[in-house]
Every structure is written in C-alpha cells, then in structure tokens.
Amino acid sequence: MDKNIPLPFDRLHNFRDLGGYATDDGRTVRRGRMFRSDSLGKLRGDDWERFLALGIRTVIDLRHPWEIEAKGRIPEHPSFAYHHLGIEHRPYDQAGLGPEVETGPFLAERYMEVAEDGVRELRRALEVIAAEDGPVVFHCTSGKDRTGLLSAVVLDLLGVSEADIVADFALTGLATERLLADWRTDHGGGVPAWPGYGRAPGEVMSLFLSALAQRHGSVRNYSSQVLGPDGARVVSALRRKLLEPAPDTELSFRRADERDLSELVRLRDAAAEWQAAQGIDQWKPGELGEEHFRARLEDGEVWIATLAPDGPVAGAWELWWEDRAAWGHRPPNAGYVHRLMTDRRVASPGTGRRMLAAAERRIAATGREVCRLDCLASNPRLRTYYEAAGYTVVDARRPKDGGLGGVYDVTLLEKQLRPDPEPAREL
C-alpha cells in the first residue's frame, strides 16, 4: 500500500488515514472512514475548515481529563459526536525519564498496562467505531501511544497483518520533530530528558503485540475478551463499516420504510455535494428532507440497495407510477425512476447500473412495459450514461417544474422492458 503519510494540517502533526491496508481475506481497509491523530484541541482557522471537510461524524478523545482541561478539546460542532474515553489509568511522565530507559521495552510495558486497565474504555471505543455512521477519528496527545494501541486492536480485528500494524505505528516517526517542537514551545525551549520522547520505533509495537499474544494466546483472543459476549456482533459491524466490499459482493434490495428516512436524506445530500464538486448545478445539499421521502413512501416506492443482506447501504432510488410534471398524462404502462443515488464511499463501479436494472425488473414484475426517467438537459454526461444502459431519448429539452422553486429543461428517456415471467414477483 501507499504510505499513509500525515495529512496536511498546520497545527496537527500526526493526523492520518488508517485505510488502504490489505486484510487476510483479500479485502482492503476503506479510506476516508477511520483516522488517527494527535490532539484535536489544536484545531483552529484553516485547519478547522480542513477537518470539517473530511465529513467526520465521530470523535473519540483518549486523553486524561486533566489533559483536556489543560490543553482543551476539539471545538463543538453539530456535524459530529464527541466521546471522551480515557483508556490510560496509570499516567507517567515520558519527557522526564532518564536516558538509560530503553524505548522499546519501556513503552511496550506501558501499553500492556493500558490494555489491562482500560478494558472498559477500549470496549466502548470499539463499539462506538462500529456503531456510529460516517467517518471516525480517535486521538490522544501526540497520536502515538494510546492512539497507536487502539489502532493496533482495530486493524487486527479487521485482519490486517502484524507487519502492517507495526509499520503504521512507526509512521509517527514522520511527525516526531514537529511533536518535539511543540513540547519545547510549551516548556520554554527546553529539551526532554528522555531521548525516546515523541519517537515511535517499530520495536515498541512488535514487543507489545508479542506480549499481548503471549498472555492471551493471540491479539484476536485479547480483543474478543475485551468485547465480551457481543464481540462477534461488534467485529461484524466493524468489518461492514471499515472494509471495502469483496469484488464479487452481490447487491441486495429491499423496500425502504420510515427507519430509512435519515439514511435517504444523507444519500441525497452526499450526491448533491458530489455534483457540486464536479461543477454540476443540479441538486443542492439540504434541499430535500425526511418529509420528501416520507411522501414518496406513501405515493410510490423507495428502494434501498445494500452490500449483501446485512451490509452497508450502497444506494437507493425512488419508483413512481406516474410523473405528470415531466411526462404529462400517459397510459399506466410505465414506471418512473427518480433520484438514483449511490454512496461512493461504499459502492463499487457499476452499482448504479445494477440498481437501475433492479428498478427495471420491479417495473416489469408489475406487468408494465416501459421504464422512464429524466435528467437535466445541461448534463450530457448523464444522458450518455442512460443511453449506454439502453435508454432512448424521447424529448431532448422538455420544461419541467420540479417543485423546488423553478422550471428547468430536462431530457426525457425511456426503455422498453421485456415481460417478466412472474408478474407478482418483487425483488
């Protein structure tokens, strides 16, 4: 994998993505879903805007309460939830250690103390990472020791090799000089008494993992003991959230209901943000809320696509049985697809086409003969996409009032469907 070098912040020195690592079952840890960092209390100005742009939904602070009181916590913001889970119960002064203290053995022993003392907090951290929607970041002061321990446990549960776990820990060495500069600034320009301060030789993590395996049989056994009776459920949730789907993962489809409203809004807003980033002036974030999708549940159908029956949501679409705003009065022989949305963090290439095919099957199953849809006339890229899927342009520029404050031109497309041999069958 490419090196997960620290992301470019001015005041954060050790913020990096934990994605990209291969697992023992041939999958890959997803990028943009789990980050590790030094203290987020340093976020200010442009750094704050860079952080918010990552779309992080969950922040886990692993520090002591007195550290938070002295240095501050991340600023509050409605876009994420904050969890304080101090996993270290026996504090010690690294900078004040003598030069005779060996970095590897000393820190490995401290990590073992944390692994034994902080079981309750570690369990809760793993549950939060598994349960919370969206990207997550966890941090301590330097993003090395407590953060490195939690990183190691999560990556091991995902099936990442020990060699990659050790290599990830050692990447903190890229931030050492900046971390030391911070310490000197806070201590009047002095120098830490301990030469190992801020350093992260791979030996530290190797010795710790070896000691953990020796005491518990394996790192995985330790993690299972930490998680307790719900361990299998938490590990399954971690893998669903944090691993790329296997290349041959099948999509599953189900009708949406009230419980899916917030997820549908999230999908639509994410798609709108992507369009804006591509220079496409069409959907706007925040434009449609739960009330819109609730209405669609009542007067039509909304479908959800997931990776396998219990996997993460990969996309969704609306299915209408008439569309007078765009198509006028038509015989009841067609279904109309709207808001075909994929989650680009989860969906593999071709997901949109597979969802469209599922919508076509559903329409054919009702005995209808045609699938219809429209796209913005000023979006030739999308028109080409639908034409490649077998759709024919019926009207290249039809005025449409979409009900959102204006009339705009759309291209109308339709596709003749093959009769379904089982008309009553749903997806």
Side-chain angles (χ1 to χ4, degrees), residues 164-320:
D164 280 339
I165 293 172
V166 170
D168 180 81
F169 174 81
L171 286 174
T172 289
L174 298 172
T176 294
E177 292 308 315
R178 296 181 74 190
L179 294 170
L180 282 169
D182 276 358
W183 190 93
R184 288 193 292 267
T185 299
D186 290 341
H187 293 82
V191 178
W194 190 42
Y197 182 83
R199 307 198 181 280
E203 177 196 23
V204 176
M205 184 55 64
S206 294
L207 289 172
F208 166 63
L209 294 177
S210 177
L212 205 60
Q214 185 174 1
R215 186 172 301 181
H216 296 277
S218 68
V219 179
R220 192 70 51 86
N221 283 350
Y222 164 78
S223 301
S224 298
Q225 293 167 26
V226 166
L227 290 170
D230 282 343
R233 177 187 61 79
V234 174
V235 172
S236 178
L238 283 170
R239 293 177 66 83
R240 284 198 305 270
K241 174 178 178 176
L242 297 174
L243 293 183
E244 295 285 359
D248 58 350
T249 298
E250 290 293 327
L251 288 178
S252 292
F253 306 101
R254 60 176 175 81
R255 290 277 292 272
D257 58 32
E258 284 273 337
R259 293 168 295 183
D260 298 305
L261 292 175
S262 62
E263 181 69 5
L264 291 166
V265 172
R266 184 194 68 77
L267 279 172
R268 209 272 184 180
D269 285 347
E273 290 168 359
W274 180 84
Q275 287 181 2
Q278 304 302 308
I280 301 170
D281 184 18
Q282 187 169 355
W283 293 357
K284 305 292 188 296
E287 200 170 38
L288 298 181
E290 293 187 2
E291 67 283 353
H292 166 84
F293 292 102
R294 184 176 288 111
R296 299 294 78 76
L297 291 175
E298 293 172 357
D299 60 24
E301 298 179 1
V302 183
W303 286 85
I304 297 280
T306 62
L307 300 181
D310 62 343
V313 173
W317 71 90
E318 296 175 12
L319 187 53
W320 301 5

Side-chain angles (χ1 to χ4, degrees), residues 353 356 360 384-392 414-416:
R353 186 70 64 84
L356 188 57
E360 294 164 3
T384 300
Y385 175 85
Y386 288 130
E387 288 179 317
Y391 285 78
T392 301
E414 70 178 21
K415 180 179 181 179
Q416 296 294 318

